[in-house]
Amino acid sequence: MAVTLYFGVRGGDHLTREVRKIPEQKMLLTQATELVKELLKGPFTPEARAVIPAGSQLRSLFYNQGTFYVDFSKEFAESHPGGPTEEALTLYSIVNTLTELDRKARVRFLVNGLETETLKGHVGLKNALSRYEALLMSPSGS
């Protein structure tokens, strides 16, 4: 099946789409897990860049009442470069990718199984995040 992933734009402060083929999965949770694993592999297109810190691992992912709960290893927070733009790109790369499966879904982030107030001090993580298309690069490239 064709899936849409979101990565950072090389040299920019937006997200860009990358379409990949992955084996079709029947269960929503399995699909979501595969999408995050694909994000962790990084982009295949030269104009895109990874925005999830190297060394980050997906510990678990579950779905409850319209919300994806994504639990990353401690490297997700510890190895993040910080800054408001990078933090937003990292989080919304994941949020926008997962909400390709359900546009109304929300996403909560855990680090090492624990809730965290923020990744690096800029985007609040106490509440679930919704899809945010304002970070997407327009088709004209801006």
Side-chain angles (χ1 to χ4, degrees):
M1 71 187 257
V3 296
T4 301
L5 307 174
Y6 294 88
F7 293 100
V9 173
R10 190 168 300 283
D13 58 1
H14 291 87
L15 294 173
T16 187
R17 293 173 179 90
E18 183 174 294
V19 177
R20 289 194 192 162
K21 295 252 188 211
I22 64 170
E24 189 160 348
Q25 306 291 334
K26 296 201 184 305
M27 301 291 293
L28 177 70
L29 200 55
T30 306
Q31 286 178 346
T33 300
E34 288 304 310
L35 290 180
V36 175
K37 287 179 179 178
E38 289 296 314
L39 283 174
L40 289 169
K41 290 178 185 176
F44 294 164
T45 52
E47 63 273 2
R49 65 183 175 90
V51 289
I52 297 175
S56 298
Q57 296 178 13
L58 178 63
R59 295 182 70 236
S60 66
L61 190 150
F62 57 98
Y63 184 81
N64 185 33
Q65 297 181 340
T67 301
F68 290 102
Y69 291 81
V70 187
D71 183 10
F72 283 103
S73 62
K74 65 182 177 12
E75 291 82 5
F76 184 67
E78 290 177 359
S79 299
H80 196 278
T85 301
E86 283 304 305
E87 191 171 327
L89 291 176
T90 297
L91 297 169
Y92 285 103
S93 162
I94 299 160
V95 171
N96 287 357
T97 295
L98 287 174
T99 56
E100 285 289 319
L101 298 173
D102 176 357
R103 294 286 174 126
K104 294 180 182 175
R106 297 166 60 82
V107 180
R108 290 284 312 264
F109 290 90
L110 305 172
V111 177
N112 251 12
L114 302 172
E115 290 184 358
T116 183
E117 295 218 7
T118 181
L119 188 58
K120 285 289 191 178
H122 302 285
V123 179
L125 297 179
K126 281 294 185 187
N127 296 311
L129 301 177
S130 299
R131 187 174 184 84
Y132 186 58
E133 296 195 354
L135 283 174
L136 298 180
M137 186 170 73
S138 69
S140 65
S142 61

